[in-house]
Amino acid sequence: MKKMILFHPDPRLKKICAPVTFITDDLRKIANDMLETMYEAPGIGLAAPQIGFLQRLIVMDCVKEEDADPAPMVMFNPEIIESSQETAVYEEGCLSIPNHYAEVTRPKEVEVKWIDTEGVEQKQWFDGLWSTCVQHEIDHLNGKLFIDYIGVMKRQLITRKMQKFKRELSRKEED
Ligand code: NI
């Protein structure tokens, strides 16, 4: 089932999410709903707090080629255990901050460990778009958004535009 995506600014997007204790069918259902919501948006990553669920869960699929098979990933309690010295710059966006983009510098490669949908611990290095995406999504679990990496002026500007966007949206819903 497709979920509503929360838009910045929202206090739920600033919270530190709680670790998942064990993987239940309910959690697997939420992960599937998140993948459906992400693909529909469309986006390449989604973190649980973006649908108002404050637990450590992210989903991703950074396959860009139109004709390639989807490669959905679901991660519970994802954690960066090592980062490369080398950095990379990507123009990032976020489903919670639609139509706003900014360049963010992050470690080029990261090693992440997580628990998969079967409850098994996994560990893998990520590079390129996958690396940017997994770092961006893990940030969400710590109440951090990509705009927290940019200058205060640009951040305030984006936040003001988002406030206006949300006011217009709620006005439309009232009509
Ligand atoms: Ni995001």
Side-chain angles (χ1 to χ4, degrees):
M1 197 178 74
K2 202 182 142 217
K3 300 282 187 185
M4 279 257 294
I5 296 175
L6 301 179
F7 292 128
H8 167 74
D10 187 298
R12 288 165 288 181
L13 294 172
K14 304 302 288 177
K15 295 271 194 272
I16 305 228
C17 296
V20 170
T21 44
F22 52 75
I23 314 304
T24 59
D25 282 344
D26 283 348
L27 283 172
R28 278 188 276 262
K29 167 92 173 60
I30 291 169
N32 278 333
D33 287 346
M34 284 170 58
L35 279 169
E36 191 183 332
T37 306
M38 177 191 83
Y39 284 125
E40 168 94 18
I44 58 168
L46 190 69
Q50 293 181 276
I51 59 158
F53 183 66
L54 300 181
Q55 292 198 23
R56 304 188 82 81
L57 161 60
I58 64 172
V59 300
M60 303 191 290
D61 185 346
C62 299
V63 170
K64 280 180 296 187
E65 299 77 21
E66 287 263 317
D67 50 353
D69 289 335
M73 287 198 92
V74 174
M75 296 181 175
F76 296 98
N77 300 343
E79 202 182 312
I80 293 164
I81 50 177
E82 226 178 308
S83 305
S84 65
Q85 292 275 316
E86 196 184 342
T87 57
V89 182
Y90 261 98
E91 182 161 74
E92 295 189 22
C94 181
L95 293 176
S96 294
I97 316 174
N99 303 316
H100 296 282
Y101 304 91
E103 287 195 336
V104 178
T105 304
R106 299 181 186 270
K108 185 175 176 292
E109 291 165 72
V110 288
E111 188 180 23
V112 179
K113 76 169 187 191
W114 72 95
I115 309 288
D116 70 14
T117 52
E118 303 305 314
V120 177
E121 188 174 299
Q122 302 286 345
K123 209 161 71 168
Q124 192 184 314
W125 278 94
F126 291 91
D127 194 2
L129 187 57
W130 286 92
S131 172
T132 295
C133 187
V134 75
Q135 293 178 70
H136 174 120
E137 301 311 330
I138 291 173
D139 272 350
H140 273 297
L141 305 181
N142 297 317
K144 195 163 182 179
L145 303 171
F146 80 91
I147 54 170
D148 293 323
Y149 291 92
I150 66 179
V152 65
M153 296 294 283
K154 186 166 184 195
R155 179 163 68 244
Q156 285 173 349
L157 181 70
I158 290 175
T159 299
R160 275 199 301 274
K161 285 186 173 165
M162 283 301 300
Q163 281 163 335
K164 185 163 174 263
F165 169 76
K166 287 178 76 174
R167 275 198 304 275
E168 283 164 2
L169 214 61
S170 61
R171 216 171 290 146
K172 255 183 241 160
E173 279 159 10
E174 280 162 26
D175 289 346

